[in-house]
Amino acid sequence: MADQNSQSRAARRKQQGKKTKKKKKQPIWKKIIKVALLLILILFLGGAAVGAYWIATAPKIEEDKLNIPFSSALYDENGDQFGDFSSDEKRTKVKFEELPDLLIDAVTATEDVRFFDHNGIDLKRIGGAVRANFTGGFGSQGASTITQQVVERSFLSNEKKISLKVQEMWMAMKLEREYSKEEIMEMYLNSIFYGSNSYGVAQAAKTYFGKEDLNDLTLPEAAILAGLPQRPTAYNPFENPELTEERMNTVLNLMVRHGKITEAEADEARSVDVASLLNESRPDPTPYDAFVNQVRSEIEEKLDDVNLDSDGLKVYTTLDPDAQPYVESMLSEEESPISYPDNTQAAMVVLDTQTGAIQAIGGNLNNEVGFNYATNGNTQAGSTVKPFMSYGPAIEYNQMSTYHQLDDDGPYEIEGSNPIRNAGRSYNGWVTARYALQQSLNVPAVKLMEEVGRENSKEFAERLGIKFDRDSLDVRDAIGGTDTQVTPLQMAGAYRAFGNEGEYAEPYAVTKVEFPDGRVVDLTPDSEKVMEDYTAYMVTDMLKSVVSSGTGTNAAVPGLDVAGKTGTTTMDKQEGSPDAWFVGYTTNYTVAAWTGGYEVYQDPDTGKDKTRRIPLQDTTLSQQMFRNTMGHLSEGVETADFTRPDSVVDVTVEKGTNPAALASDSTPSENKITELFVKGTEPTKVSERYEELDAVSGLSASYNEDDNSIEVSWDYDTDSDEDVSFDVSASIDGGSMQSLSSTSDTSMEISDVEEGAEYTIQVVAERGSLTSDPATTTVKVPGEDDEEEEIPGVSGLSAEFDGDETINVSWSYDGPSASFEVSVNGETENVGSENISVSGVTPGDYNITVTPISEEDSDIRGPSASTSVTVSEAEEEEEESEEEEPPEEEEPNGDESDSGSDSDSSEDTDQNIDSTEENNNDSESNESETQEQNEQEEDSGSNSEEETPDESPSDQGQDEESNNE
């Protein structure tokens, strides 16, 4: 039984083994293919479902929308509507039969070469676009046919979405089934905007070429019209004939490529001057035309496939409703307070200094339709480039101060070219950076750009929106004298950054665009820091000097802190300036004003009117435009001054120091100047040019007979922080000074002196480069043959008050011939006699000293003798009382004495020393006179102790009057 079970199990296993035999494994690649096919199927089914949904939800084709565009509204900075794009449109419809083959060939070669062959979509073109989109991103290249463009313009938005593209293709095929190719071409050419308020190709032919019949169009004219729809503002032949010509050539190349014309025909068309084709009669201007053109330009540049004339957009702009009409009135010869000479053009741009928003644009004089000089008028900038070509970069990269010294020493020589000269052909030597910019000196500006490096200057300017015509700069770029050209809009944008602490944003006229479906696109550009705040402030401060006391004084606005710069250009082989600029700003507004000289003349070859540059009759017009406009905009508006950042310090330095040195306390005020420095780079050394050292005091010198030397000593206050030394010099017998020694002591010895010589010794204090005034003294060295001559002093010196305002002084002298120095209370006089009278005395003490002086050698003096006398008040009172009661009889001698006293008093209000030798010859005559006078007094019964000589009232009055004087 067990065996049977065993066998049966084995048999069963054998049978099961046969049933469970393994299958051969499938290759992995087959599995991948199956999965991929499954995914593709799922994606296809999903895509088909989604595509079906998009198609089902596509708008219906409505015939009225195929021919009527939806206008776009324009709003100012306050959100108020000021216009729309189709309000002034000019439209002329045309039938397909009126379209010449030449025009159709130009349009199809440019926009849709297989237009007459496809069913609304061009699969070949789609394939090329798909490849481009894979490599460049979705939306990098379009594949829209003319039919698709008609659908998109009439029914869809311009968003780059797959759903919209699917709907566009479906509706294009549907449109092809409902309308003929000819009808679709009519729709296309009748609805396109061609610029200059012209809608449709027929109106464009009238506007630009003055042609009513399209069959009269030439090949270059047809090529221009075919190329305009892509960018009608940029390619407007009235405003940008150069760009128009480039676009025309592109169309001609496409026509040759697709076999529409021959290369010879294209060459002939390329040889035509675009300006010669244009209609001399321009369309009438529309309000704010220059500003609206800028709006168009920005939207065309920033938004793809947007049609302002048919998309029904809401365009929000930065237009200032006060500034824009004022700017247009300023450029109107009928309304402006400025008198514009003939052959003058002008343009102006106003920006918000804080944001860069365009507040107003004046495109040309009298707002004529045509060329917009504010946005397209590329000309040389002249000296208005100096702030961002030289001075700004020097501060930014080198931390230059406004005091920085520049050598304006003469013409700047250039090898192989004419030298660069200052405008006035005058040169100033070393000047500050501020002065050089203030006076717009060319030579310092060129030297400064060379100091900072041309590459640095180029980089700095490019960050401010300046575009150069070459990769490397020319030295004349420092003064705006190369082929690099700018517009007022560019210049306003560049200067605004200086007034906004170094922040730059490209000037903009559009803030946002709202589409009919509610979608909003913000077009406000981002702001970026392009320079340090110290650079912006220091350039601004120098530009304020330009307006206050430099070349821009005609632009000054009373009560406003204005910074700005002038600029003029030159002409080859002709005197005068064809361009004059002023670009300036406050903390609120930035204004760029330009004027140019243009002359209309008739081309002798074509008979057409052309323009050429001529010198301006008045180069101050741009300053006047700025002053009037800035004054109007700032009226009633608080305008703050520019705020100095912490990175800038003002320092008072001494004029002429190079490098800069601080002014000292001794620097004269007229030699002090306050300038700006980047914090941390300001000077610390004090100028010593005007600093003074005190002279030595107490200088003395004496001869030392023992060692035949002269000992010199002096005093000096040595409290100074720095050591002071003393230079000692000497001259012998009046010869030249010879330096003997420099010492820090206050004494020295001069050894081995010459016998009999006279030494004049000089001591000068020194500290660094400073020196004091010299102090001198003289000493005589005795000689072997020298006998020291001595003279005696006077003897018997006496002084007596005679009671008649006179002190009589006398003395005796027994010695060599001498004169006498008489000192009365410090007042001295030399006399040759041995007596003297001091008249006109008043009560008080009188100290009298007499010193004999040798007549052979004035240096030899005898001993001085002194005496004193007191004139009391009592004596004066007695005299006055006696004068009140004059005696009955007048003595002749008294009258003479009084007369003499009056005369003496009138000659000297204080005291007089009478040294007349005729009256005082010797002591004997003096004693005789005194005795005689006393006898006369006794005879008249007068008491000398109680009475004074007679004095008349008139004499008394004369004395008092003399004393008062």
Side-chain angles (χ1 to χ4, degrees), residues 351-465:
L351 302 183
D352 183 320
T353 301
Q354 301 303 315
T355 65
I358 302 173
Q359 305 280 264
I361 300 178
N364 52 52
L365 200 60
N366 296 319
N367 193 31
E368 296 174 347
V369 171
F371 197 75
N372 186 337
Y373 293 97
T375 57
N376 302 320
N378 291 289
T379 64
Q380 289 182 334
S383 290
T384 53
V385 304
K386 291 175 181 175
F388 54 75
M389 292 304 303
S390 296
Y391 296 89
I395 298 173
E396 181 76 5
Y397 298 110
N398 295 354
Q399 287 76 54
M400 179 193 79
S401 72
T402 59
Y403 175 80
H404 181 72
Q405 296 291 294
L406 295 165
D407 193 5
D408 183 30
D409 58 347
Y412 186 86
E413 299 294 338
I414 303 173
E415 186 177 355
S417 181
N418 293 328
I420 293 175
R421 299 181 175 88
N422 289 340
R425 299 297 193 270
S426 62
Y427 304 91
N428 305 272
W430 288 98
V431 295
T432 65
R434 179 188 297 277
Y435 183 83
L437 182 58
Q438 172 184 314
Q439 300 301 324
S440 198
L441 304 178
N442 290 335
V443 172
V446 171
K447 290 185 176 181
L448 189 56
M449 188 178 81
E450 296 293 66
E451 273 187 31
V452 75
R454 298 184 191 181
E455 284 305 310
N456 284 334
S457 293
K458 184 172 184 286
E459 178 186 353
F460 187 89
E462 286 177 337
R463 292 203 299 262
L464 295 174

Side-chain angles (χ1 to χ4, degrees), residues 551-572:
T551 59
T553 54
N554 286 321
V557 182
L560 283 185
D561 292 297
V562 175
K565 184 70 186 74
T566 55
T568 56
T569 62
T570 58
M571 300 184 70
D572 291 336

Side-chain angles (χ1 to χ4, degrees), residues 505-517:
E506 183 182 7
Y508 62 98
V510 180
T511 57
K512 63 181 180 180
V513 174
E514 183 177 339
F515 289 83
D517 59 4

